[in-house]
């Protein structure tokens, strides 16, 4: 690993653990709650301990003045919920675009198992090659999604493990994927790659659900989270970011993290 890549990885994490808040959902879902005043949301989550925020490059000018010295990741593909197929992610920028936007890293989404997998494999491979020339880390968002994949099946973690291994094989530096429901099943996913593994958050649940999932992730040996809506759509994004950060960075229990953040602990 080059000195530049190592330095940039340190900008988006803390001691090789990561609390990343993706807010690229504006291209996917529109200006949903938490994204209209994205400046205030970015200030809140980074004040709460997030290591980095992630957006499409067009939002970069709204990110930098409000991120409190946190890292910045530019996402380089996307799709919309109102388009013909949300899994058909199309390229939205280049490595040079990301550098001009002030990015410390780039990210790319791939749906392993979908009909778009072949093109997305090629695109991710090309991206990691280009990014390596600049010492720019690549976060691969590698999900197991497709007609033959059912997240309710007992062997779902095998498919997720395949997805994260694919990301490593293609040259990524960090891999994000979906949680498989328990520390026991997610351990296989973590063991499937030597890369740092971070989990997605999905739609917002209760505070305890969110933090307990993060605790299970870390117990499985993962390296953190890349959680969007669970954080930026929270009524108090700074507090939930602080709770998640306490688990990832300080090894807090679920209850400790919620209390320290000033969030209610269910009886």
């Amino acid at each position: 690993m080059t000195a530049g890549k190592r330095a940039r990885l340190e900008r988006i994490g803390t001691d090789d653990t990561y609390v990343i808040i993706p807010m690229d959902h504006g291209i996917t879902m529109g200006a949903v709650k938490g994204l209209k005043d994205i400046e205030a949301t970015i200030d809140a989550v980074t004040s709460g301990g997030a290591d980095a925020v992630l957006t499409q490059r067009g939002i970069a000018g709204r990110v930098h003045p409000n991120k409190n010295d946190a890292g910045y990741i530019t996402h380089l593909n996307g799709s919309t919920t109102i388009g013909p197929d949300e899994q058909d992610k199309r390229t939205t920028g280049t490595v040079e675009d990301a550098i001009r936007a002030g990015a410390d890293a780039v990210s790319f989404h791939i749906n392993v198992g979908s009909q778009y997998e072949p093109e997305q494999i090629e695109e991710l491979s090309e991206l990691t090659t280009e990014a390596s020339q600049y010492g720019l880390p690549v976060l691969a968002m590698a999900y197991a999604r497709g007609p033959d994949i059912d997240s309710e099946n007992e062997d779902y973690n095998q498919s997720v493990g395949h997805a994260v291994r694919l990301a490593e094989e293609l040259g990524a530096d960090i891999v994000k994927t979906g949680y498989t429901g328990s520390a026991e099943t997610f351990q296989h996913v973590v063991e499937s790659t030597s890369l740092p593994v971070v989990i997605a958050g999905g739609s917002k649940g209760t505070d305890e659900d969110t933090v307990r999932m993060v605790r299970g992730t870390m117990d499985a040996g993962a390296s953190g989270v890349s959680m969007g809506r669970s954080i930026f759509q929270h009524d108090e994004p700074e507090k939930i970011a602080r709770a998640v950060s306490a688990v990832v960075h300080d090894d807090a229990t679920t209850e400790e993290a919620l209390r320290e953040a000033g969030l209610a602990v269910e009886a």
Side-chain angles (χ1 to χ4, degrees):
M1 182 181 296
T2 65
K5 182 176 285 189
R6 168 48 59 187
R8 294 180 180 96
L9 283 169
E10 290 174 356
R11 292 176 202 159
I12 64 170
T14 299
D15 297 328
D16 298 320
T17 58
Y18 303 89
V19 177
I20 299 166
I21 313 300
M23 287 181 270
D24 58 312
H25 301 65
I27 198 170
T28 309
M29 305 168 67
V32 295
K33 177 184 175 183
L35 297 184
K36 288 184 178 179
D37 185 2
I38 196 170
E39 292 87 348
T41 304
I42 291 167
D43 176 63
V45 300
T46 54
S47 294
D51 295 302
V53 296
L54 178 156
T55 73
Q56 293 281 344
R57 61 192 172 96
I59 304 296
R62 302 174 68 178
V63 174
H64 291 296
N66 301 288
K67 64 183 180 65
N68 298 304
D69 294 324
Y72 176 53
I73 303 170
T74 299
H75 195 54
L76 294 180
N77 66 344
S79 61
T80 75
T81 56
I82 59 175
D85 192 338
E86 189 179 349
Q87 291 195 32
D88 185 10
K89 303 290 183 180
R90 299 298 179 102
T91 300
T92 56
T94 67
V95 168
E96 290 188 354
D97 290 331
I99 291 170
R100 282 191 289 268
D104 300 304
V106 293
S107 63
F108 192 88
H109 183 127
I110 179 170
N111 291 311
V112 181
S114 77
Q115 63 177 308
Y116 307 107
E117 177 196 286
E119 293 86 355
Q120 291 171 354
I121 285 176
E122 290 180 355
E123 291 166 353
L124 177 56
S125 181
E126 291 169 358
L127 175 63
T128 59
T129 297
E130 183 184 3
S132 69
Q133 297 173 4
Y134 294 90
L136 201 64
V138 176
L139 165 63
M141 301 184 181
Y143 294 93
R145 292 177 179 170
D148 297 323
I149 297 172
D150 185 349
S151 62
E152 299 301 318
N153 285 349
E154 290 185 3
D155 63 350
Y156 174 59
N157 67 332
Q158 302 296 312
S159 297
V160 180
H162 189 166
V164 300
R165 183 53 178 259
L166 179 146
E168 179 177 9
E169 299 276 350
L170 295 181
D173 300 288
I174 307 173
V175 59
K176 168 183 176 177
T177 197
Y179 189 53
T180 55
S182 69
E184 291 73 24
T185 59
F186 201 67
Q187 185 174 353
H188 168 74
V189 178
V190 175
E191 292 174 347
S192 296
T193 178
S194 66
L195 297 181
V197 177
V198 298
I199 63 155
S203 56
K204 182 181 178 297
T206 68
D207 296 342
E208 185 169 349
D209 288 341
T210 297
V211 178
R212 194 170 299 282
M213 179 172 67
V214 177
R215 183 65 267 170
T217 300
M218 301 306 290
D219 290 341
S223 297
V225 304
S226 176
M227 303 179 77
R229 288 172 288 168
S230 299
I231 307 293
F232 74 71
Q233 290 196 317
H234 195 278
D235 290 338
E236 297 180 285
E238 181 174 345
K239 287 186 177 181
I240 192 65
R242 182 169 289 112
V244 169
S245 297
V247 174
V248 173
H249 295 321
D250 302 324
D251 199 29
T253 67
T254 300
E255 293 74 17
E256 288 170 345
L258 290 167
R259 288 194 184 97
E260 290 172 9
L263 295 170
V265 179
E266 295 179 8

Tab-separated table of all heavy atoms in Angstrom, residues 84-124:
chain	number	residue	atom	x	y	z
A	84	PRO	N	-36.456	2.478	-14.352
A	84	PRO	CA	-36.925	1.138	-14.721
A	84	PRO	C	-36.381	0.021	-13.849
A	84	PRO	O	-37.039	-1.007	-13.685
A	84	PRO	CB	-36.451	0.992	-16.176
A	84	PRO	CG	-35.340	1.978	-16.326
A	84	PRO	CD	-35.687	3.116	-15.432
A	85	ASP	N	-35.176	0.179	-13.286
A	85	ASP	CA	-34.602	-0.882	-12.458
A	85	ASP	C	-33.535	-0.283	-11.556
A	85	ASP	O	-32.467	0.108	-12.023
A	85	ASP	CB	-33.994	-1.980	-13.330
A	85	ASP	CG	-33.648	-3.223	-12.526
A	85	ASP	OD1	-33.468	-3.125	-11.302
A	85	ASP	OD2	-33.556	-4.304	-13.144
A	86	GLU	N	-33.812	-0.252	-10.270
A	86	GLU	CA	-32.896	0.380	-9.323
A	86	GLU	C	-31.556	-0.345	-9.233
A	86	GLU	O	-30.541	0.252	-8.861
A	86	GLU	CB	-33.537	0.449	-7.935
A	86	GLU	CG	-32.764	1.284	-6.936
A	86	GLU	CD	-33.429	1.370	-5.579
A	86	GLU	OE1	-34.600	0.950	-5.453
A	86	GLU	OE2	-32.758	1.844	-4.639
A	87	GLN	N	-31.527	-1.630	-9.568
A	87	GLN	CA	-30.271	-2.372	-9.492
A	87	GLN	C	-29.313	-2.029	-10.636
A	87	GLN	O	-28.136	-2.373	-10.586
A	87	GLN	CB	-30.543	-3.880	-9.498
A	87	GLN	CG	-31.214	-4.371	-8.231
A	87	GLN	CD	-31.160	-5.880	-8.092
A	87	GLN	OE1	-30.215	-6.521	-8.540
A	87	GLN	NE2	-32.182	-6.445	-7.490
A	88	ASP	N	-29.808	-1.339	-11.633
A	88	ASP	CA	-28.989	-0.985	-12.799
A	88	ASP	C	-28.237	0.304	-12.511
A	88	ASP	O	-28.597	1.394	-12.964
A	88	ASP	CB	-29.878	-0.837	-14.026
A	88	ASP	CG	-29.074	-0.589	-15.304
A	88	ASP	OD1	-27.845	-0.724	-15.267
A	88	ASP	OD2	-29.708	-0.267	-16.335
A	89	LYS	N	-27.154	0.182	-11.743
A	89	LYS	CA	-26.362	1.343	-11.355
A	89	LYS	C	-25.486	1.792	-12.517
A	89	LYS	O	-24.766	0.981	-13.109
A	89	LYS	CB	-25.469	1.003	-10.151
A	89	LYS	CG	-26.221	0.491	-8.930
A	89	LYS	CD	-27.033	1.574	-8.259
A	89	LYS	CE	-27.705	1.066	-7.000
A	89	LYS	NZ	-28.493	2.094	-6.317
A	90	ARG	N	-25.529	3.082	-12.827
A	90	ARG	CA	-24.733	3.630	-13.927
A	90	ARG	C	-23.667	4.588	-13.401
A	90	ARG	O	-23.866	5.283	-12.397
A	90	ARG	CB	-25.644	4.364	-14.916
A	90	ARG	CG	-26.700	3.477	-15.567
A	90	ARG	CD	-26.077	2.356	-16.395
A	90	ARG	NE	-27.089	1.495	-17.001
A	90	ARG	CZ	-27.465	1.564	-18.273
A	90	ARG	NH1	-26.928	2.474	-19.086
A	90	ARG	NH2	-28.381	0.732	-18.748
A	91	THR	N	-22.540	4.623	-14.096
A	91	THR	CA	-21.424	5.466	-13.686
A	91	THR	C	-21.812	6.937	-13.679
A	91	THR	O	-22.452	7.427	-14.613
A	91	THR	CB	-20.225	5.250	-14.630
A	91	THR	OG1	-19.833	3.881	-14.572
A	91	THR	CG2	-19.046	6.125	-14.233
A	92	THR	N	-21.431	7.643	-12.617
A	92	THR	CA	-21.773	9.060	-12.460
A	92	THR	C	-20.546	9.968	-12.362
A	92	THR	O	-20.701	11.184	-12.215
A	92	THR	CB	-22.631	9.263	-11.194
A	92	THR	OG1	-21.923	8.743	-10.057
A	92	THR	CG2	-23.975	8.555	-11.314
A	93	GLY	N	-19.360	9.393	-12.439
A	93	GLY	CA	-18.156	10.227	-12.366
A	93	GLY	C	-16.916	9.376	-12.494
A	93	GLY	O	-16.976	8.144	-12.571
A	94	THR	N	-15.778	10.045	-12.505
A	94	THR	CA	-14.484	9.386	-12.637
A	94	THR	C	-13.625	9.657	-11.407
A	94	THR	O	-13.968	10.491	-10.555
A	94	THR	CB	-13.744	9.918	-13.874
A	94	THR	OG1	-13.413	11.309	-13.644
A	94	THR	CG2	-14.592	9.790	-15.134
A	95	VAL	N	-12.505	8.964	-11.332
A	95	VAL	CA	-11.557	9.209	-10.245
A	95	VAL	C	-11.088	10.661	-10.267
A	95	VAL	O	-11.002	11.315	-9.220
A	95	VAL	CB	-10.362	8.245	-10.348
A	95	VAL	CG1	-9.232	8.679	-9.423
A	95	VAL	CG2	-10.795	6.821	-10.018
A	96	GLU	N	-10.806	11.187	-11.453
A	96	GLU	CA	-10.363	12.582	-11.538
A	96	GLU	C	-11.466	13.539	-11.090
A	96	GLU	O	-11.176	14.560	-10.450
A	96	GLU	CB	-9.900	12.900	-12.954
A	96	GLU	CG	-8.592	12.211	-13.311
A	96	GLU	CD	-8.033	12.668	-14.643
A	96	GLU	OE1	-8.717	13.435	-15.348
A	96	GLU	OE2	-6.904	12.261	-14.980
A	97	ASP	N	-12.717	13.226	-11.403
A	97	ASP	CA	-13.833	14.036	-10.896
A	97	ASP	C	-13.818	14.050	-9.371
A	97	ASP	O	-14.035	15.095	-8.740
A	97	ASP	CB	-15.177	13.472	-11.371
A	97	ASP	CG	-15.421	13.660	-12.854
A	97	ASP	OD1	-14.909	14.640	-13.432
A	97	ASP	OD2	-16.152	12.833	-13.440
A	98	ALA	N	-13.602	12.881	-8.777
A	98	ALA	CA	-13.600	12.772	-7.321
A	98	ALA	C	-12.459	13.562	-6.707
A	98	ALA	O	-12.629	14.237	-5.680
A	98	ALA	CB	-13.506	11.301	-6.912
A	99	ILE	N	-11.298	13.501	-7.327
A	99	ILE	CA	-10.150	14.261	-6.823
A	99	ILE	C	-10.443	15.752	-6.893
A	99	ILE	O	-10.155	16.503	-5.943
A	99	ILE	CB	-8.885	13.898	-7.615
A	99	ILE	CG1	-8.468	12.457	-7.296
A	99	ILE	CG2	-7.741	14.860	-7.298
A	99	ILE	CD1	-7.388	11.918	-8.190
A	100	ARG	N	-11.028	16.195	-7.997
A	100	ARG	CA	-11.380	17.619	-8.114
A	100	ARG	C	-12.427	18.019	-7.068
A	100	ARG	O	-12.483	19.183	-6.655
A	100	ARG	CB	-11.899	17.911	-9.523
A	100	ARG	CG	-10.806	18.031	-10.573
A	100	ARG	CD	-11.349	18.574	-11.880
A	100	ARG	NE	-12.192	17.606	-12.553
A	100	ARG	CZ	-11.756	16.725	-13.462
A	100	ARG	NH1	-10.476	16.693	-13.779
A	100	ARG	NH2	-12.589	15.882	-14.046
A	101	ALA	N	-13.246	17.054	-6.652
A	101	ALA	CA	-14.265	17.323	-5.638
A	101	ALA	C	-13.705	17.261	-4.222
A	101	ALA	O	-14.437	17.470	-3.253
A	101	ALA	CB	-15.419	16.321	-5.776
A	102	GLY	N	-12.397	16.977	-4.092
A	102	GLY	CA	-11.767	16.950	-2.772
A	102	GLY	C	-11.934	15.648	-2.030
A	102	GLY	O	-11.841	15.615	-0.797
A	103	ALA	N	-12.139	14.553	-2.756
A	103	ALA	CA	-12.392	13.262	-2.111
A	103	ALA	C	-11.127	12.648	-1.532
A	103	ALA	O	-10.042	12.756	-2.110
A	103	ALA	CB	-13.018	12.298	-3.103
A	104	ASP	N	-11.286	11.969	-0.388
A	104	ASP	CA	-10.229	11.160	0.201
A	104	ASP	C	-10.320	9.713	-0.271
A	104	ASP	O	-9.371	8.939	-0.095
A	104	ASP	CB	-10.335	11.183	1.732
A	104	ASP	CG	-10.209	12.593	2.288
A	104	ASP	OD1	-9.194	13.249	2.003
A	104	ASP	OD2	-11.139	13.033	2.988
A	105	ALA	N	-11.457	9.330	-0.843
A	105	ALA	CA	-11.677	7.979	-1.345
A	105	ALA	C	-12.860	8.027	-2.301
A	105	ALA	O	-13.590	9.030	-2.366
A	105	ALA	CB	-11.963	7.003	-0.196
A	106	VAL	N	-13.044	6.932	-3.034
A	106	VAL	CA	-14.202	6.806	-3.911
A	106	VAL	C	-14.952	5.534	-3.546
A	106	VAL	O	-14.403	4.615	-2.935
A	106	VAL	CB	-13.810	6.776	-5.403
A	106	VAL	CG1	-13.240	8.119	-5.831
A	106	VAL	CG2	-12.820	5.652	-5.703
A	107	SER	N	-16.227	5.474	-3.937
A	107	SER	CA	-17.015	4.264	-3.692
A	107	SER	C	-17.797	3.895	-4.942
A	107	SER	O	-18.062	4.740	-5.812
A	107	SER	CB	-17.953	4.456	-2.500
A	107	SER	OG	-18.888	5.480	-2.755
A	108	PHE	N	-18.164	2.617	-5.009
A	108	PHE	CA	-18.848	2.088	-6.186
A	108	PHE	C	-19.735	0.937	-5.744
A	108	PHE	O	-19.320	0.087	-4.957
A	108	PHE	CB	-17.821	1.603	-7.212
A	108	PHE	CG	-18.389	1.303	-8.577
A	108	PHE	CD1	-18.494	2.308	-9.520
A	108	PHE	CD2	-18.803	0.022	-8.906
A	108	PHE	CE1	-19.013	2.037	-10.786
A	108	PHE	CE2	-19.322	-0.262	-10.154
A	108	PHE	CZ	-19.425	0.751	-11.103
A	109	HIS	N	-20.952	0.893	-6.262
A	109	HIS	CA	-21.959	-0.101	-5.874
A	109	HIS	C	-22.021	-1.208	-6.917
A	109	HIS	O	-22.106	-0.944	-8.111
A	109	HIS	CB	-23.317	0.605	-5.766
A	109	HIS	CG	-24.444	-0.255	-5.302
A	109	HIS	ND1	-25.242	0.096	-4.238
A	109	HIS	CD2	-24.943	-1.431	-5.762
A	109	HIS	CE1	-26.166	-0.836	-4.068
A	109	HIS	NE2	-26.002	-1.769	-4.983
A	110	ILE	N	-22.002	-2.460	-6.440
A	110	ILE	CA	-22.151	-3.603	-7.341
A	110	ILE	C	-23.160	-4.584	-6.747
A	110	ILE	O	-23.113	-4.885	-5.555
A	110	ILE	CB	-20.800	-4.290	-7.611
A	110	ILE	CG1	-20.968	-5.490	-8.540
A	110	ILE	CG2	-20.077	-4.662	-6.329
A	110	ILE	CD1	-19.665	-6.075	-9.044
A	111	ASN	N	-24.098	-5.050	-7.564
A	111	ASN	CA	-25.108	-6.020	-7.151
A	111	ASN	C	-24.694	-7.398	-7.661
A	111	ASN	O	-24.917	-7.747	-8.818
A	111	ASN	CB	-26.479	-5.623	-7.689
A	111	ASN	CG	-27.012	-4.376	-7.028
A	111	ASN	OD1	-27.003	-4.259	-5.810
A	111	ASN	ND2	-27.477	-3.420	-7.811
A	112	VAL	N	-24.077	-8.174	-6.786
A	112	VAL	CA	-23.577	-9.498	-7.153
A	112	VAL	C	-24.757	-10.468	-7.205
A	112	VAL	O	-25.490	-10.630	-6.234
A	112	VAL	CB	-22.519	-9.972	-6.139
A	112	VAL	CG1	-21.983	-11.346	-6.529
A	112	VAL	CG2	-21.385	-8.951	-6.042
A	113	GLY	N	-24.919	-11.107	-8.355
A	113	GLY	CA	-26.043	-12.012	-8.538
A	113	GLY	C	-27.153	-11.434	-9.398
A	113	GLY	O	-28.067	-12.156	-9.803
A	114	SER	N	-27.065	-10.144	-9.691
A	114	SER	CA	-28.084	-9.513	-10.536
A	114	SER	C	-27.702	-9.640	-12.001
A	114	SER	O	-26.576	-10.012	-12.348
A	114	SER	CB	-28.229	-8.031	-10.178
A	114	SER	OG	-27.152	-7.281	-10.729
A	115	GLN	N	-28.633	-9.301	-12.877
A	115	GLN	CA	-28.351	-9.357	-14.309
A	115	GLN	C	-27.311	-8.320	-14.730
A	115	GLN	O	-26.732	-8.408	-15.818
A	115	GLN	CB	-29.636	-9.151	-15.112
A	115	GLN	CG	-30.281	-7.781	-14.913
A	115	GLN	CD	-31.518	-7.605	-15.781
A	115	GLN	OE1	-31.492	-7.816	-16.990
A	115	GLN	NE2	-32.630	-7.220	-15.144
A	116	TYR	N	-27.055	-7.346	-13.854
A	116	TYR	CA	-26.088	-6.290	-14.169
A	116	TYR	C	-24.696	-6.595	-13.630
A	116	TYR	O	-23.765	-5.808	-13.814
A	116	TYR	CB	-26.585	-4.955	-13.605
A	116	TYR	CG	-27.988	-4.641	-14.056
A	116	TYR	CD1	-29.063	-4.733	-13.168
A	116	TYR	CD2	-28.250	-4.296	-15.378
A	116	TYR	CE1	-30.356	-4.470	-13.589
A	116	TYR	CE2	-29.546	-4.033	-15.817
A	116	TYR	CZ	-30.590	-4.129	-14.916
A	116	TYR	OH	-31.873	-3.884	-15.345
A	117	GLU	N	-24.543	-7.750	-12.989
A	117	GLU	CA	-23.259	-8.111	-12.393
A	117	GLU	C	-22.095	-8.067	-13.387
A	117	GLU	O	-21.038	-7.498	-13.060
A	117	GLU	CB	-23.353	-9.494	-11.764
A	117	GLU	CG	-22.052	-10.016	-11.179
A	117	GLU	CD	-22.099	-11.503	-10.928
A	117	GLU	OE1	-22.775	-11.912	-9.958
A	117	GLU	OE2	-21.465	-12.253	-11.702
A	118	PRO	N	-22.224	-8.618	-14.593
A	118	PRO	CA	-21.054	-8.624	-15.497
A	118	PRO	C	-20.515	-7.228	-15.799
A	118	PRO	O	-19.295	-6.993	-15.713
A	118	PRO	CB	-21.585	-9.303	-16.764
A	118	PRO	CG	-22.714	-10.159	-16.284
A	118	PRO	CD	-23.354	-9.380	-15.185
A	119	GLU	N	-21.417	-6.289	-16.127
A	119	GLU	CA	-20.961	-4.926	-16.425
A	119	GLU	C	-20.389	-4.259	-15.184
A	119	GLU	O	-19.373	-3.551	-15.250
A	119	GLU	CB	-22.123	-4.092	-16.975
A	119	GLU	CG	-22.628	-4.524	-18.337
A	119	GLU	CD	-23.658	-5.635	-18.268
A	119	GLU	OE1	-23.932	-6.148	-17.146
A	119	GLU	OE2	-24.187	-6.013	-19.329
A	120	GLN	N	-21.009	-4.497	-14.032
A	120	GLN	CA	-20.543	-3.860	-12.813
A	120	GLN	C	-19.200	-4.417	-12.364
A	120	GLN	O	-18.377	-3.697	-11.797
A	120	GLN	CB	-21.606	-3.987	-11.716
A	120	GLN	CG	-22.848	-3.147	-12.020
A	120	GLN	CD	-24.005	-3.403	-11.067
A	120	GLN	OE1	-23.969	-4.290	-10.219
A	120	GLN	NE2	-25.068	-2.624	-11.228
A	121	ILE	N	-18.943	-5.693	-12.620
A	121	ILE	CA	-17.627	-6.264	-12.349
A	121	ILE	C	-16.566	-5.544	-13.179
A	121	ILE	O	-15.509	-5.153	-12.671
A	121	ILE	CB	-17.603	-7.779	-12.645
A	121	ILE	CG1	-18.332	-8.549	-11.543
A	121	ILE	CG2	-16.163	-8.286	-12.776
A	121	ILE	CD1	-18.438	-10.043	-11.815
A	122	GLU	N	-16.846	-5.377	-14.454
A	122	GLU	CA	-15.893	-4.689	-15.328
A	122	GLU	C	-15.652	-3.258	-14.858
A	122	GLU	O	-14.508	-2.787	-14.808
A	122	GLU	CB	-16.406	-4.677	-16.763
A	122	GLU	CG	-16.406	-6.040	-17.441
A	122	GLU	CD	-16.918	-5.972	-18.864
A	122	GLU	OE1	-17.372	-4.879	-19.293
A	122	GLU	OE2	-16.876	-7.003	-19.553
A	123	GLU	N	-16.727	-2.573	-14.490
A	123	GLU	CA	-16.608	-1.167	-14.095
A	123	GLU	C	-15.852	-1.021	-12.784
A	123	GLU	O	-15.018	-0.110	-12.631
A	123	GLU	CB	-17.999	-0.544	-14.007
A	123	GLU	CG	-18.675	-0.388	-15.362
A	123	GLU	CD	-20.156	-0.088	-15.257
A	123	GLU	OE1	-20.705	-0.138	-14.126
A	123	GLU	OE2	-20.779	0.178	-16.297
A	124	LEU	N	-16.121	-1.898	-11.815
A	124	LEU	CA	-15.401	-1.825	-10.546
A	124	LEU	C	-13.920	-2.143	-10.754
A	124	LEU	O	-13.048	-1.485	-10.175
A	124	LEU	CB	-16.016	-2.778	-9.517
A	124	LEU	CG	-15.303	-2.848	-8.161
A	124	LEU	CD1	-15.193	-1.481	-7.505
A	124	LEU	CD2	-16.017	-3.840	-7.232
